[in-house]
Amino acid sequence: MTTFRDRSDVFAELGTKLTIAEIFETLLDGPVPISLSAHDGSSTGPADSKYSLEILNPRGINYIATAPGDLGMARAYISGDMKADGIHPGDPYEILAAMGEMRFRRPSALALVTIARSLGWDALKPIAPPPQETLPRWRRIALEGLRHSKTRDAEAIHHHYDVSNKFYEYVLGPSMTYTCACYEDEGQTLEQAQENKYRLVFEKLNLKAGDRLLDIGCGWGGMVRYAAKRGVQVIGATLSAEQAEWGQKKVVEEGLADLAEVRHSDYRDVRESNFDAVSSIGLTEHIGVQNYPSYFGFIKGKLRDGGLFLNHCITRPDNTRTTKAGDFIDRYVFPDGELIGSGRIISEVQNTGLEVLHEENLRPHYALTLAEWCKNLVENWDACVAEAGEGTAKVWGLYMAGSRLGFQRNVVQLHQVLGMKLGPNETWDVPLRPWWKA
């Protein structure tokens, strides 16, 4: 039986033109799950839908038709050429959930002819994406070097983290912590849960006053300051100049300069060694899976015998899928980001000669964290737009709400892996059973 979407090939042969709503249907593999309308007066999807999308102008359908999928939809939405009704742009979680399993497909050659004839060939010429979008992977090689070179990593971090410290203060809250919190229960506030996360990491690393900690990918220095307040000597390294400036200023303001430093540095350039512990909270996503051996080898080389390390990062639920991020995440959020399952991470840790002592999955905790960040963005929307622009604020709402769904639906997970560098006698220097409060 010929479906409506299959008829685009027939229409091409007959010379029939499609409405924009029909073009949208042609690009989907399945029904339109919410109401959609367009500037030509056409519409599709359930009329009683609580949420709706409206394509406002030719540029909006150009973005969608030339990049069917999350990238094209994001371009149209971020640029203001498509609007979403029934949601706040700071938290589009509900409409994303309603769109559910909506999947785009590549139209056939005949369908492309129909689309081009319907819109006009000039309407499908490539146009510049929104300014928030970074270069495609192939162009980054030419301009920034090979994937995960120091230069290219620095540019990727700059793209994401050097938006504006003030913007992050609005979104992240007082802790300025941009990693998964750890909730004792769902009644905890975001700040309580972030403090609890640092407490958990500190205790897992068995730190005490007088110890030395290296925190790689330290962000704005939350872990650095937490440990320093408890008498630990800490070096934090971040590739973001704005993070380092903010974090070091906070270290000084809190009277911790004798114990702590937030350093603007690639972690690979840290020369000090013989640390009692190394923490890596939210860095592994930027490393590149092929670089795991050198990454964990670096950690091993920085630890004293008997020293502990903790790796906290987003993972996939298995170890078989592609490691590369989707187009929207790669171009708007985490350029060159890569994810793999916790099994691969543990294997690489072990292959480096480190011993894994414990691992746990905090997947539901990240969904809770992201919901709170979206709430902050909504509450501070006008200030965030004034600080970073409406397009950037939309990117963050879309990314965080979509990520919340991803953690809820087990598309991604969050794992903490605790390990040790064994000494010559291969014995543990820690208690026989977990010594931290879960």
Side-chain angles (χ1 to χ4, degrees), residues 186-228:
E186 294 188 7
Q188 276 200 316
T189 66
L190 175 63
E191 292 304 306
Q192 289 170 331
Q194 291 292 16
E195 180 83 358
N196 187 49
K197 185 263 302 295
Y198 288 132
R199 190 270 315 160
L200 180 63
V201 173
F202 187 90
E203 290 183 5
K204 282 185 175 181
L205 290 173
N206 206 26
L207 288 164
K208 59 185 182 301
D211 283 349
R212 298 175 64 240
L213 169 68
L214 174 62
D215 184 35
I216 55 178
C218 69
W220 290 270
M223 185 67 206
V224 170
R225 297 195 309 279
Y226 184 94

Side-chain angles (χ1 to χ4, degrees), residues 391-436:
T392 297
K394 280 183 173 181
V395 168
W396 279 81
L398 193 60
Y399 144 62
M400 294 191 300
S403 296
R404 177 185 171 192
L405 271 175
F407 283 102
Q408 288 177 333
R409 295 177 175 177
N410 199 27
V411 176
V412 280
Q413 300 177 350
L414 190 289
H415 283 258
Q416 285 191 353
V417 176
L418 176 68
M420 175 188 288
K421 177 183 178 180
L422 296 173
N425 59 5
E426 303 290 318
T427 59
W428 288 13
D429 290 338
V430 292
L432 291 175
R433 298 296 298 153
W435 51 90
W436 61 89

Side-chain angles (χ1 to χ4, degrees), residues 82-406:
M82 180 179 72
K83 71 175 183 177
D85 290 328
I87 53 97
H88 190 287
D91 188 7
Y93 170 84
E94 296 293 342
I95 193 170
L96 294 177
M99 290 164 72
E101 299 301 316
M102 186 173 79
R103 294 290 180 267
F104 284 82
R105 64 177 181 178
R106 288 189 175 277
S108 67
L110 282 174
L112 284 173
V113 171
T114 308
I115 293 170
R117 182 185 295 124
S118 301
L119 296 175
W121 290 96
D122 287 343
L124 289 180
K125 289 181 178 179
I127 57 177
Q132 292 79 16
E133 183 172 318
T134 192
L135 297 171
R137 293 183 180 101
W138 65 270
R139 289 195 62 193
R140 288 178 223 154
I141 294 176
L143 297 176
E144 300 165 8
L146 294 174
R147 193 179 182 90
H148 299 300
S149 65
K150 289 183 179 180
T151 299
R152 186 158 160 179
D153 279 353
E155 181 57 34
I157 294 299
H158 168 73
H159 175 84
H160 187 71
Y161 293 100
D162 290 345
V163 175
S164 157
N165 284 332
K166 196 66 180 177
F167 178 86
Y168 279 106
E169 288 176 9
Y170 290 132
V171 175
L172 303 180
S175 74
M176 281 294 273
T177 300
Y178 186 34
T179 48
C180 175
C182 183
Y183 288 78
E184 291 190 356
D185 58 65
E186 294 188 7
Q188 276 200 316
T189 66
L190 175 63
E191 292 304 306
Q192 289 170 331
Q194 291 292 16
E195 180 83 358
N196 187 49
K197 185 263 302 295
Y198 288 132
R199 190 270 315 160
L200 180 63
V201 173
F202 187 90
E203 290 183 5
K204 282 185 175 181
L205 290 173
N206 206 26
L207 288 164
K208 59 185 182 301
D211 283 349
R212 298 175 64 240
L213 169 68
L214 174 62
D215 184 35
I216 55 178
C218 69
W220 290 270
M223 185 67 206
V224 170
R225 297 195 309 279
Y226 184 94
K229 289 174 183 177
R230 287 151 184 84
V232 174
Q233 293 273 351
V234 194
I235 294 174
T238 173
L239 267 177
S240 166
E242 290 196 19
Q243 285 182 337
E245 181 181 4
W246 191 99
Q248 185 58 28
K249 181 180 178 183
K250 205 72 172 176
V251 163
V252 173
E253 288 177 354
E254 295 184 7
L256 302 171
D258 290 342
L259 290 168
E261 175 190 0
V262 176
R263 183 181 298 178
H264 180 213
S265 170
D266 190 297
Y267 76 91
R268 291 165 284 196
D269 293 330
V270 174
R271 301 303 177 198
E272 294 87 344
S273 60
N274 205 37
F275 289 93
D276 297 286
V278 174
S279 53
S280 174
I281 306 174
L283 175 65
T284 317
E285 299 90 331
H286 301 287
I287 294 295
V289 175
Q290 296 305 313
N291 294 321
Y292 283 1
S294 60
Y295 165 64
F296 290 116
F298 169 87
I299 290 175
K300 182 180 179 181
K302 292 302 173 183
L303 286 168
R304 65 165 174 81
D305 288 349
L308 298 171
F309 75 92
L310 184 134
N311 193 78
H312 166 121
C313 74
I314 301 169
T315 66
R316 297 203 187 277
D318 58 61
N319 300 278
T320 61
R321 306 183 209 184
T322 177
T323 63
K324 293 180 181 179
D327 288 338
F328 168 68
I329 294 294
D330 181 68
R331 301 286 282 276
Y332 282 91
V333 186
F334 291 116
D336 293 338
E338 293 184 59
L339 302 177
I340 194 63
S342 58
R344 175 70 178 272
I345 292 172
I346 290 173
S347 292
E348 296 289 0
V349 169
Q350 293 169 332
N351 292 343
T352 306
L354 296 163
E355 182 165 5
V356 173
L357 304 181
H358 184 270
E359 84 89 33
E360 67 174 309
N361 184 2
L362 300 177
R363 177 169 69 88
H365 297 255
Y366 219 154
L368 292 170
T369 304
L370 286 155
E372 290 301 309
W373 288 342
C374 281
K375 181 180 177 182
N376 287 342
L377 180 56
V378 170
E379 291 178 350
N380 296 291
W381 180 255
D382 290 342
C384 287
V385 169
E387 183 66 27
E390 184 176 13
T392 297
K394 280 183 173 181
V395 168
W396 279 81
L398 193 60
Y399 144 62
M400 294 191 300
S403 296
R404 177 185 171 192
L405 271 175

